[in-house]
Amino acid sequence: MDWHTWHEDYDQPGSRLAQRLPIVQARIVEALDNAGPGSLKVISMCAGQGHDILGVLTDHPRRHDVSARLVELDPRNVAVAENTARSAGLDKVEVVAADAGLFDQYKGMMPADVVLACGVFGNILDEDIQRTISGCRELCKTGGSVIWTRRRSAPDQVPQICAWFEEQGFERQWLSDASWDFGVGMHRFVGEPQPFSSRRMFTFRSK
């Protein structure tokens, strides 16, 4: 899979990515709007070109409150995201070319107010999904939100992913309609952040 050309579907009306993007962005807006006053931290795993978070921060009234770290392995996507952030004057956005599956990439940003796991769960093994959800207890602050996606192809893992989140101290805030062929979820962490551990959450599988 060429993950650079994969992003071209964002510009294709009617594509799954084009349909999913405003849904994800609406959840990000909701999370930022509901966050308390002061500085905010956002983590984006496997961030790609940053369409979701950068598209929101460009015009959001709290854009200058947000420090964000986007972690993406493909250097071409990193370059696009960096250019977008700089062009929009988002000086607190950091784009890192690195393996997003490693906790070490998020040092200094934990616990975060918003954690994005979009385009991740459909490309990792089920045991890695569980490990990542458990790891969100380290990545996310109490009251913070995790926004995630997963295609609803058979077998539909969206209900199971919700159950895994809820077993780990997260409350379901929003879930996309089951009739859509993609799933978008938003879970709020109501537990206590766990101590940082230097380990691997997942290994991304390139198709």
Side-chain angles (χ1 to χ4, degrees), residues 25-103:
Q25 290 180 331
R27 306 284 74 75
I28 297 173
V29 169
E30 179 181 345
L32 295 179
D33 287 349
N34 292 335
S39 60
L40 302 172
K41 293 180 179 179
V42 176
I43 286 170
S44 181
M45 299 186 279
C46 300
Q49 296 176 3
H51 289 278
D52 42 22
I53 183 61
L54 298 181
V56 168
L57 290 182
T58 298
D59 299 313
H60 196 275
R62 300 199 64 181
R63 54 179 298 189
H64 296 301
D65 292 336
V66 175
S67 296
R69 182 174 299 165
L70 285 60
V71 183
E72 165 62 29
L73 193 58
D74 191 309
R76 299 167 297 172
N77 290 334
V78 168
V80 172
E82 285 182 332
N83 182 66
T84 300
R86 300 294 82 81
S87 297
L90 299 172
D91 298 331
K92 294 182 181 179
V93 171
E94 177 186 13
V95 188
V96 179
D99 184 345
L102 297 171
F103 269 108

Side-chain angles (χ1 to χ4, degrees), residues 42-45 112-117 136 139-140 145-148:
V42 176
I43 286 170
S44 181
M45 299 186 279
D113 297 88
V114 181
V115 176
L116 302 178
C136 284
L139 296 175
C140 196
S145 299
V146 180
I147 299 166
W148 54 273

Side-chain angles (χ1 to χ4, degrees), residues 14-31:
S15 72
R16 182 178 294 107
L17 288 181
Q19 294 177 58
R20 192 184 75 182
L21 180 60
I23 307 301
V24 171
Q25 290 180 331
R27 306 284 74 75
I28 297 173
V29 169
E30 179 181 345

